[in-house]
Amino acid sequence: MSTSEFDLDDLSLADQIRAEVEALILESERSQRPLEMEPLRSKLFEQFVLAQAAGYLVEEAAEDLTADGLMHTLATKWGLRSAAQSSVRENAPLPPEHLTRMRGLWAMMRMWMEWTYAWGRWDEFHKT
C-alpha cells in the first residue's frame, strides 16, 4: 500500500502522516529492506519533521503522532495486540506476518524516539 492508494486531499495532515508512515513500513516489508536504509529512512524522517512542525509530538497535542501514538494506531489497525495476546494465551509463536510487522513497527519507533530526543535537545547544543 502506498500513499498513492489514498486520496490524501481528503485526509487531515495527521492522517496523511500516519498513512505515509504505514506505507513506508509496508514498503520495507515488501522490499525486504530495513526501514533504516535509504531511501526509506529519509522518507520517514520527512514525516517526522512534518509531525514535529505541526506540533503533533508534544503531550496533549491535537493529534498524537509520538512514537507511542503511532505504534498504538498501527498495532491496532494491523491486529498486533490480539495476535500477541493469542500467542501468549496459546503458548505459540507469533505468526510470521505479525512478527514481520512488529519488527517494522519497532524499527520505526526506535528512529522516531531518537529523532524526538535529538530534536528536543538541539538548542542545548547549538547556542549562539
Side-chain angles (χ1 to χ4, degrees):
M1 172 179 5
S2 70
T3 54
S4 62
E5 294 176 25
F6 297 101
D7 186 354
L8 292 180
D9 292 336
D10 292 340
L11 299 176
S12 70
L13 177 59
D15 288 337
Q16 288 178 35
I17 294 168
R18 282 186 198 99
E20 185 62 26
V21 168
E22 178 182 15
L24 290 167
I25 294 169
L26 295 176
E27 174 58 29
S28 169
E29 182 181 318
R30 267 193 305 280
S31 66
Q32 297 183 352
R33 292 187 54 119
L35 195 56
E36 297 88 347
M37 293 183 67
E38 294 299 339
L40 296 173
R41 179 179 57 188
S42 290
K43 290 178 180 179
L44 183 62
F45 185 69
E46 289 171 11
Q47 298 309 305
F48 169 82
V49 171
L50 285 173
Q52 193 283 328
Y56 297 150
L57 301 181
V58 295
E59 283 189 39
E60 299 182 27
E63 297 281 352
D64 183 1
L65 295 185
T66 62
D68 286 340
L70 287 168
M71 183 274 307
H72 183 286
T73 299
L74 293 175
T76 299
K77 181 175 183 178
W78 293 337
L80 296 179
R81 172 178 273 172
S82 60
Q85 289 171 340
S86 292
S87 174
V88 169
R89 187 174 48 251
E90 297 167 13
N91 196 24
L94 197 60
E97 65 275 8
H98 288 114
L99 187 56
T100 300
R101 290 267 164 92
M102 217 172 257
R103 285 184 179 138
L105 200 51
W106 290 333
M108 179 280 299
M109 286 183 64
R110 184 184 47 74
M111 288 186 287
W112 206 266
M113 288 187 296
E114 289 172 355
W115 295 331
T116 301
Y117 177 79
W119 203 278
R121 297 200 62 195
W122 177 266
D123 289 338
E124 183 179 342
F125 294 96
H126 294 86
K127 293 180 182 174
T128 54

